[in-house]
Amino acid sequence: MNDAPRPTGDHPAATAPTGGVPAKRWVYVIPVAAVMYMLAYLDRNNVSVVLPYMHGDLDLSNADKGLAGGIFFLGYVFLQIPAAVLAQRWSARKTVLILMVAWGLSAVLSGLVQTRAQFYAARFVLGFFEGGVWPAVLILLASWFPLRERARANALWMACLPLSSVLMAPLSGWMLDHTSWRWVLVLQGVPPLLWAALWWFAVADRPAEARWISRAEAAHLAREIAADEAAKPAVGGGSYLAAVRQRTVLVLIGVYFFWITGFYGFSLWLPAVIKELTHDGSATEVGLLTAIPFTVALVVMIANAAWSDRTGRRRPAVAVPLVVGIVALLLGQVVDGALPRMLLLCLTAAAVYAPYGPFWAIPGQFLRFEVVAVAMGLINALGNLGGFAGPYLVGWLTDATGSSLTGFAVLAGFLAVAVVLATLGLRPGPARPSDGSQDAPAPAANTASNGGS
């Protein structure tokens, strides 16, 4: 076992951060979790590919389609904190397994609906069961990856978000050309039920419980994570209420809400925009073209997280991409030509995905493990209400004005509020002599700096 000092540079994901200690966690934990959530994201977002091709089956207006995309996030709120607490106090592995089976069955049922009200209800129930998965996996990763690796671990896991669209948008388009939208939803709800078996045997709640990990790596992780926890200040005697009332947690909720409003408003309407660019091309063509912006987003997302871990600068890694997204989103509504608009769609996608890894590394930098679960659950629950607001706003404003320009301009405004909150509300913590400049938020509720990052 190696007790070398913690380095501060960037490290390859599959090699040990300290000399000689293996790092199998990058190979075992991340891929299994990523595929699992990729399937969840598919069942959440396949509706964006399906909606333009429902051809009046349920008599949906643009506002109705926005509501169908967004109502998922009303259900998404309810299990955020309960699942986070279960993952922390009981088992992240078992919590995710139960939710995986439940959302898979819900996804299958969403293809069997007969009325608009049933479709809304199915989307709500799907969101209800998927809602607890995100915080539960963040708790799992916190048990496997020290803070100095956390943004990269988060980003590699969250890479499943754009990767799901890269792989599944063309698949959904191809399926729509060969079968009905109902069969697309039914068949795409089956894989989570199969993946649940692999999840059960491959994943452990913590290194000490994994059969495939070496004792050296398990001991190394125990030391690293214990050192991270010891460096954080106590919060109200470990009180959940004291943790979620911290100023930084409240600001993170605001940042996430306004960012996610723009994020999902863009993501869920992207296939419809591309369908317009192709002058009502086939579903397969639209699906293939939809994959391009998400491929760019995947690369930028991982690169931004690596930069954030290497420099410790979390605020710019969140705010700067969103500024780029605002500019690209607005330009995309006024420029002419399919190619320039497609390039701007790629830039927007990269910009709204890039903050994921750094953003979700922030709570663990100033909250101890016993309270961070509730804080992350609350941030994700309230922030993801923007996933309801964004798609619905775009659909409603498109119906009201006859153009998508107003809707996307409003989304740019939401992203601008997120930038202001991140820049002015997340105050930087102190610099560490060994790490250089650190830009993580200060942990104390009412002080500018108190032992950050």
Side-chain angles (χ1 to χ4, degrees), residues 90-321:
W90 178 48
S91 167
R93 170 178 171 247
K94 295 175 183 176
T95 300
V96 172
L97 178 75
I98 293 169
L99 293 174
M100 201 184 318
V101 172
W103 104 59
L105 293 174
S106 301
V108 169
L109 291 175
S110 68
L112 305 178
V113 300
Q114 299 299 318
T115 67
R116 181 169 47 188
Q118 289 175 359
F119 191 48
Y120 292 157
R123 293 286 299 170
F124 179 90
V125 172
L126 179 65
F128 179 84
F129 288 119
E130 275 193 26
V133 178
W134 184 270
V137 175
L138 285 172
I139 294 301
L140 181 74
L141 296 183
S143 299
W144 280 93
F145 297 92
L147 279 175
R148 60 185 179 73
E149 300 174 345
R150 194 71 55 77
R152 279 168 294 168
N154 287 346
L156 285 171
W157 166 54
M158 296 171 190
C160 64
L161 305 185
L163 185 60
S164 174
S165 297
V166 169
L167 298 176
M168 301 306 181
L171 175 63
S172 296
W174 178 82
M175 291 175 70
L176 278 169
D177 279 339
H178 292 84
T179 188
S180 72
W181 63 267
R182 295 181 183 278
W183 274 108
V184 172
L185 298 181
V186 169
L187 293 175
Q188 292 184 356
V190 173
L193 303 177
L194 304 177
W195 196 255
L198 181 61
W199 172 271
W200 177 254
F201 290 106
V203 173
D205 282 307
R206 52 191 60 86
E209 298 174 4
R211 286 173 287 187
W212 46 262
I213 195 173
S214 71
R215 294 307 93 194
E217 184 175 359
H220 161 75
L221 291 175
R223 290 194 305 271
E224 291 268 307
I225 292 171
D228 286 341
E229 293 298 301
K232 300 173 191 175
V235 178
S239 163
Y240 288 148
L241 183 60
V244 300
R245 289 175 61 186
Q246 285 204 71
R247 178 182 178 276
T248 302
V249 173
L250 299 177
V251 172
L252 287 171
I253 291 171
V255 172
Y256 202 51
F257 173 82
F258 287 101
W259 163 28
I260 291 300
T261 299
F263 174 90
Y264 277 112
F266 167 79
S267 298
L268 288 175
W269 282 97
L270 177 60
V273 174
I274 290 179
K275 185 171 184 285
E276 178 187 338
L277 289 181
T278 61
H279 304 291
D280 293 327
S282 70
T284 301
E285 181 184 3
V286 171
L288 288 170
L289 290 175
T290 298
I292 296 174
F294 294 114
T295 303
V296 177
L298 175 64
V299 175
V300 173
M301 181 180 176
I302 294 173
N304 189 49
W307 178 84
S308 176
D309 268 351
R310 185 172 65 251
T311 64
R313 296 177 63 81
R314 307 299 193 200
R315 274 195 313 173
V318 172
V320 173

